[in-house]
């Protein structure tokens, strides 16, 4: 009898773990993405997001995962992606989020690659647009989801090498929940009220999105 109960418990754990690690399809990602009804005081608009791996590059090349995260993506292809732009109705800070569903193992690799790049890349250049970034700094682990990483950095935006750059604060928070990665990113307009303050992703945006990702139907639907 004891062996039977133990076997049943082991099967239940395996079934749950398998459901959590199963990639969500496009329809399920759309269903668990935040809406205006989930976030009081915010407007939410859909962002188009393709499933291909990002090809944005950096100099040094090892910094590419940070450049890619600034657009909500990564160097790993997704089985499905969707995004939302979230704007405060009272002109407070907002953010964008891209939800990416990955094959087994790739979701964890997205987080690991971003964390490693942020640790090594204090200063780098986005090859595609020519802007430099500095002050890249990992923040204390926020402890979201199965694993998470948070970083801040500053974009040095200038039309040419001779121009004095405009400093634009950016923030990224990436969270893995099972086989889904939620990539939140935000920046401050340099001439806005918070232009010189560190950029932040509002916590209520993160928690609202993660609450929907944790819905049982999101992880257990075949």
């Amino acid at each position: 009898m004891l062996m039977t109960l133990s076997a049943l418990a082991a099967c239940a754990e395996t079934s749950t773990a398998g459901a959590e690690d199963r990639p969500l399809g496009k329809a399920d990602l759309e269903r668990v993405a935040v809406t205006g009804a989930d976030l009081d005081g915010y407007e939410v608009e859909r962002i188009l997001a393709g499933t291909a791996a990002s090809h944005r590059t950096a100099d040094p090349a090892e910094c590419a995962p940070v450049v890619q995260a600034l657009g909500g993506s990564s160097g790993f292809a997704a089985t499905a992606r969707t995004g939302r732009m979230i704007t405060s109705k009272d002109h407070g800070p907002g953010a964008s989020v891209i939800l990416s569903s990955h094959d087994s193992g790739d979701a964890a690799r997205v987080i690991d690659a971003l964390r490693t790049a942020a640790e090594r890349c204090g200063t780098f250049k986005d090859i595609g647009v020519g802007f430099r970034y500095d002050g890249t700094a990992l923040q204390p682990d926020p402890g979201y989801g199965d694993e998470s990483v948070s970083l801040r950095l500053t974009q040095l935006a200038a039309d040419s090498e001779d121009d004095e750059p405009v400093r634009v604060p950016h923030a990224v928070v990436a969270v893995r929940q099972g086989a889904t990665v939620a990539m939140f990113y935000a920046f401050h307009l340099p001439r806005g009220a918070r232009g010189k303050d560190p950029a932040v992703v509002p916590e209520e945006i993160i928690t609202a999105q993660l609450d929907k990702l944790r819905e049982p139907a999101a992880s257990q639907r075949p």
Side-chain angles (χ1 to χ4, degrees), residues 55-103:
H55 296 293
R56 291 178 67 174
T57 56
D59 182 17
E62 65 182 354
C63 304
V66 179
V67 170
Q68 294 159 356
L70 291 169
S73 191
S74 71
F76 296 85
T79 59
R81 275 198 178 102
T82 192
R84 299 293 184 269
M85 182 171 64
I86 304 158
T87 308
S88 171
K89 293 180 180 178
D90 63 1
H91 307 292
S96 296
V97 58
I98 303 293
L99 300 179
S100 300
S101 184
H102 292 275
D103 289 330

Side-chain angles (χ1 to χ4, degrees), residues 159-214:
D159 292 331
S160 72
E161 294 286 344
D162 298 327
D163 291 339
E164 182 70 21
V166 175
R167 300 183 66 84
V168 184
H170 283 67
V172 174
V173 177
V175 183
R176 180 179 70 82
Q177 186 73 41
T180 302
V181 173
M183 192 79 74
F184 303 87
Y185 55 103
F187 65 93
H188 284 170
L189 295 173
R191 293 180 178 83
R194 294 171 300 278
K196 295 183 179 180
D197 296 336
V200 297
V201 178
E203 186 173 357
E204 59 266 31
I205 291 177
I206 298 174
T207 55
Q209 179 58 84
L210 296 183
D211 284 346
K212 292 197 76 171
L213 273 177
R214 280 192 294 266

